[in-house]
Amino acid sequence: MRILIGALLLLAATVVAPWLRGGWAAGRIVALCFAPGAAILAWLAPSLSRTPLLALAGVLLTSAVATPLTLLGGMYLLGGVGEGLVAGAIAWGALLAAGLLRRRWSSPHPLPKADLLWVTAAVGWIALPLLLNPVLRHHSDAFTHIAITREILTHDVPWTDPRFAGQPLRYFWFFNLWAAGFSARGGIPIPWSLTLVNLTALTAFAAAMVAVVRHFFASGRHRTWALLLILGGLNPLGVFGIASHLAAGLFGDWRGIPVIFDLFRRLHFLDSEVVFTLTPRWAYNVSWVTKFLVITPFGIGMAGAVFSALVLWEACRRRKVTGRTLLLLSIGVAAVTFHHLIAAGFVGAALAGGLLWSILARRSPFSMTDTLRLAAAAGLAVLITFPYYATILLGRELGIDAGGYGLGFDPRWLITLLTSVGPLILLLWFGRETLRERLGPAMPVFAGTVLCGILMMACVRLPTVNESKMFILFYCLAAPYAAAGAVELSRRWAVRPHLRAVGLVLVASAVLVPVMIWLGFLAQPPPKLPAGVDAAGAWIREHTRRDAVLIEPRESTLLLNRGEREQFVGQERFITECGYPRREMNARLALIDHLYATGDLTADEVAQLRSLGRPVYLFWRRCDAEPSPEHFRLFFAEGSVALYRLRTAATALRKIATPSAS
């Protein structure tokens, strides 16, 4: 009877979720993040319920793939995200309820209180800044994801890029489609939707990390060190990074003690720039904590990386590849690949390299048949992502940013390797004997994975400093296992007072770094905006057509989300990243540079704007040249900003008042 009641309650909660509106729509997490994954695993891997942490991570990662595909199917077959949400909730709820009634989740094991405490603490600790500081929900990459999610909710497929009016969407949108389910049908605001998806990824990451600790370490001492290493994150020498900046003031370009004090005052501690303050000079910032404090799909890639590695190494330790192993590996690989291509490339190459290393060393834990089965499962997971990536990559201009990819040596990244994962690699070396005992037959694969990861971090070059993501992924794969070395060092140093003091300083630094980052993000202040920007955004939303186009200065995104209209041309780096036609984008950039410098347009530039076939509005600031009344008409002015509309060919030309005159 209890199973029947539980199944009916879950079915009711899932089916009702799409009808929740406003703040209550956060309850859709049942239908969007839990029910799809639980339903699939209840039917295909019911024994997973005996490992609660692995099951939790598996459910969330499966939903990270199944839910966006469900919503996409709803858009194509039923006409919108909302319709797909309703149909998917009913289907997944019914499938989950049927699985429970048939006792597919058999003999569930209770989640240990200590593990539950660690997962809850990790999620709550990082969630607090996102929940308490509204600035973070719009900070950094969030502006792009908010705009793309809004495009998904308000337009039919195929979508266009809201940052480049009229251009097909060539940016990765799978993450945004998942978040759109929370905002469809009168749900919660888009920034909150993206925050919930970020926190779901964080929960999967924390559950997978704690599952690794529980699987491979029985000793309480090892578990404590492993969890501290995970908490400490990258760059354990970060506090000494501050000293490197001050030393540069004394011995570098600036020289002089007075300048050092001035430099110290200019270092950031109470905003998100604290991560650069903690980064040693001549290195690049890497911190996994920031990847969950910023709206980004990379967190799903991190969770999928830990989950996939755990599944593989557990199979190695058992020397057995089961159907469950293949299913879980394919889920982890699909989640990583759908949501983050760089994460998929690094993790896939590292794990494949580990298997190849064990084969070449003639110490593979698997037969060739089992190895091919693993490769087939991972390959199938990658294969199902091809249609998605075809819509993004095939339309890109050939040769875009090709020079950013390749092999090469860069001293900056060598310093980054030494200061971020260098201490971790040393701990792995000191703990190698314990790891041989705990990992057993998985040790050759693990060692090969670590070696491949180090080689890629040292030699692989990616555009727009994306190399930093490799360091974070390496940390995700290796950090818990470094506990073996931490325990060994603590044992050796316990009998040497001077070394014990060094160890305490290093531990304090490693713990202090994430705490300082957390405080910096929590205190992140709102950006300083020109007076009248918010009013201008409200005017655009209320008084312009939905297909209107906004012209903003180069690199500006002030009205992209405040006005909820497409930009004429967005930030230049996305032209390269998304492979938009360079000649056309250069012409747009030249147009806005000329317009903001002179306030006038050439005949060709006027024709270029009118060819869009849509109303065009110009965002003007007091520091810009006043727009020519021959081409623009004033519609709004407040504070230090104004909005002008491009005159159509049929509009009679007449002089109008400028903002200063009005």
Side-chain angles (χ1 to χ4, degrees):
M1 179 59 71
R2 286 192 303 176
I3 293 178
L4 175 62
I5 294 174
L8 291 176
L9 288 176
L10 269 177
L11 175 61
T14 306
V15 171
V16 168
W19 306 95
L20 300 175
R21 296 180 178 272
W24 293 100
R28 294 180 187 177
I29 197 167
V30 175
L32 294 170
C33 303
F34 176 75
I40 291 172
L41 294 180
W43 285 94
L44 299 182
S47 62
L48 196 62
S49 62
R50 297 171 186 171
T51 51
L53 287 172
L54 194 63
L56 175 59
V59 163
L60 298 178
L61 290 172
T62 305
S63 296
V65 175
T67 299
L69 292 177
T70 302
L71 297 177
L72 186 63
M75 292 202 70
Y76 276 105
L77 300 176
L78 303 175
V81 174
E83 290 78 1
L85 173 63
V86 173
I90 295 173
W92 291 120
L95 192 62
L96 176 58
L100 290 177
L101 289 175
R102 295 193 61 178
R103 298 177 182 270
R104 300 298 300 178
W105 285 99
S106 55
S107 305
H109 287 200
L111 181 64
K113 292 182 179 179
D115 294 348
L116 178 62
L117 178 64
W118 275 106
V119 173
T120 304
V123 174
W125 172 62
I126 298 182
L128 273 178
L130 278 172
L131 297 177
L132 297 179
N133 189 347
V135 175
L136 296 182
R137 298 192 286 276
H138 300 265
H139 178 63
S140 187
D141 293 350
F143 82 92
T144 291
H145 293 293
I146 292 171
I148 292 176
T149 306
R150 185 177 63 253
E151 172 72 16
I152 291 172
L153 287 166
T154 56
H155 293 81
D156 296 329
V157 287
W159 299 300
T160 57
D161 194 326
R163 303 163 302 174
F164 301 93
Q167 294 296 320
L169 183 58
R170 303 295 183 203
Y171 195 77
F172 308 106
W173 45 259
F174 205 74
F175 170 79
N176 307 96
L177 184 56
W178 191 11
F182 285 99
S183 296
R185 298 175 56 85
I188 58 179
I190 292 174
W192 277 109
S193 299
L194 293 164
T195 299
L196 283 181
V197 173
N198 237 41
L199 295 180
T200 300
L202 171 61
T203 304
F205 174 76
M209 275 293 200
V210 178
V212 168
V213 177
R214 174 158 288 278
H215 269 70
F216 291 102
F217 295 111
S219 161
R221 196 176 182 191
H222 280 92
R223 288 183 182 178
T224 301
W225 272 107
L227 293 167
L228 283 174
L229 283 167
I230 295 168
L231 170 68
L234 287 159
N235 200 9
L237 305 179
V239 173
F240 305 105
I242 302 173
S244 73
H245 293 289
L246 299 179
L250 183 59
F251 303 107
D253 300 333
W254 301 289
R255 298 183 182 278
I257 292 179
V259 180
I260 292 180
F261 289 104
D262 180 62
L263 177 65
F264 192 85
R265 285 194 297 269
R266 287 189 282 118
L267 291 175
H268 292 258
F269 292 97
L270 292 178
D271 60 33
S272 60
E273 297 296 309
V274 66
V275 293
F276 298 104
T277 299
L278 294 171
T279 301
R281 190 166 169 80
W282 310 289
Y284 189 81
N285 164 63
V286 276
S287 171
W288 73 262
V289 175
T290 64
K291 294 306 176 184
F292 293 106
L293 293 173
V294 173
I295 302 298
T296 169
F298 189 66
I300 303 171
M302 293 167 59
V306 179
F307 182 83
S308 302
L310 173 58
V311 170
L312 177 61
W313 292 330
E314 182 63 19
C316 291
R317 194 169 68 163
R318 297 176 182 272
R319 294 182 178 273
K320 186 177 182 181
V321 175
T322 63
R324 188 183 104 161
T325 301
L326 298 175
L327 173 67
L328 297 183
L329 181 64
S330 63
I331 287 171
V333 171
V336 177
T337 308
F338 264 120
H339 286 278
H340 209 281
L341 199 56
I342 292 176
F346 179 86
V347 174
L351 295 181
L355 280 172
L356 181 60
W357 172 270
S358 68
I359 292 172
L360 295 177
R362 297 186 178 183
R363 297 175 61 191
S364 174
F366 304 124
S367 65
M368 188 56 65
T369 300
D370 281 346
T371 303
L372 292 176
R373 291 172 67 201
L374 288 170
L380 181 61
V382 172
L383 187 63
I384 65 173
T385 69
F386 275 21
Y388 164 62
Y389 280 108
T391 67
I392 297 172
L393 301 178
L394 293 183
R396 293 187 173 185
E397 187 172 285
L398 294 178
I400 283 293
D401 212 24
Y405 297 92
L407 301 176
F409 175 78
D410 187 336
R412 177 184 57 171
W413 291 112
L414 179 61
I415 296 172
T416 302
L417 191 153
L418 293 175
T419 57
S420 61
V421 298
L424 175 69
I425 295 169
L426 285 176
L427 290 177
L428 291 173
W429 174 258
F430 278 110
R432 62 191 183 280
E433 295 301 328
T434 303
L435 288 176
R436 284 196 185 100
E437 175 188 346
R438 299 306 307 158
L439 292 173
M443 185 61 185
V445 181
F446 176 79
T449 299
V450 169
L451 180 61
C452 287
I454 293 172
L455 289 174
M456 284 190 284
M457 288 185 293
C459 301
V460 174
R461 302 279 73 86
L462 300 173
T464 59
V465 295
N466 274 304
E467 293 95 334
S468 64
K469 295 181 174 65
M470 295 192 294
F471 293 83
I472 295 172
L473 292 165
F474 180 86
Y475 199 88
C476 293
L477 294 177
Y481 307 95
V487 170
E488 177 63 22
L489 279 182
S490 66
R491 183 184 63 79
R492 294 184 186 183
W493 290 5
V495 296
R496 297 177 175 87
H498 61 289
L499 290 179
R500 188 190 312 165
V502 172
L504 290 174
V505 170
L506 292 175
V507 171
S509 172
V511 173
L512 188 59
V513 167
V515 171
M516 292 179 69
I517 292 174
W518 184 88
L519 289 173
F521 274 81
L522 182 64
Q524 173 69 21
K528 296 179 180 179
L529 303 174
V533 166
D534 289 328
W539 188 90
I540 291 170
R541 294 195 305 270
E542 296 170 6
H543 297 93
T544 65
R545 285 167 36 181
R546 295 199 66 85
D547 65 342
V549 176
L550 290 172
I551 297 178
E552 293 193 60
R554 185 187 284 243
E555 300 300 309
S556 171
T557 58
L558 290 176
L559 294 182
L560 173 63
N561 293 315
R562 289 179 176 86
E564 299 182 1
R565 300 293 182 265
E566 291 187 3
Q567 274 186 304
F568 179 58
V569 59
Q571 293 184 336
E572 190 172 0
R573 68 184 178 95
F574 290 114
I575 299 175
T576 300
E577 288 185 14
C578 300
Y580 291 126
R582 192 64 179 174
R583 179 177 296 179
E584 180 182 348
M585 294 299 108
N586 283 342
R588 293 190 182 190
L589 290 170
L591 185 153
I592 64 173
D593 288 344
H594 177 243
L595 175 58
Y596 278 98
T598 67
D600 204 359
L601 294 171
T602 65
D604 289 341
E605 290 170 341
V606 172
Q608 181 182 356
L609 291 175
R610 287 176 179 166
S611 67
L612 296 171
R614 298 149 68 177
V616 177
Y617 289 84
L618 171 67
F619 174 58
W620 179 88
R621 304 161 303 176
R622 189 170 293 160
C623 59
D624 302 320
E626 292 191 4
S628 166
E630 179 183 356
H631 301 304
F632 291 96
R633 179 184 173 189
L634 176 65
F635 271 79
F636 170 88
E638 183 174 317
S640 61
V641 302
L643 294 169
Y644 290 80
R645 178 171 173 172
L646 178 71
R647 294 178 181 273
T648 62
T651 303
L653 299 181
R654 62 182 183 274
K655 290 277 187 177
I656 61 169
T658 62
S660 56
S662 62

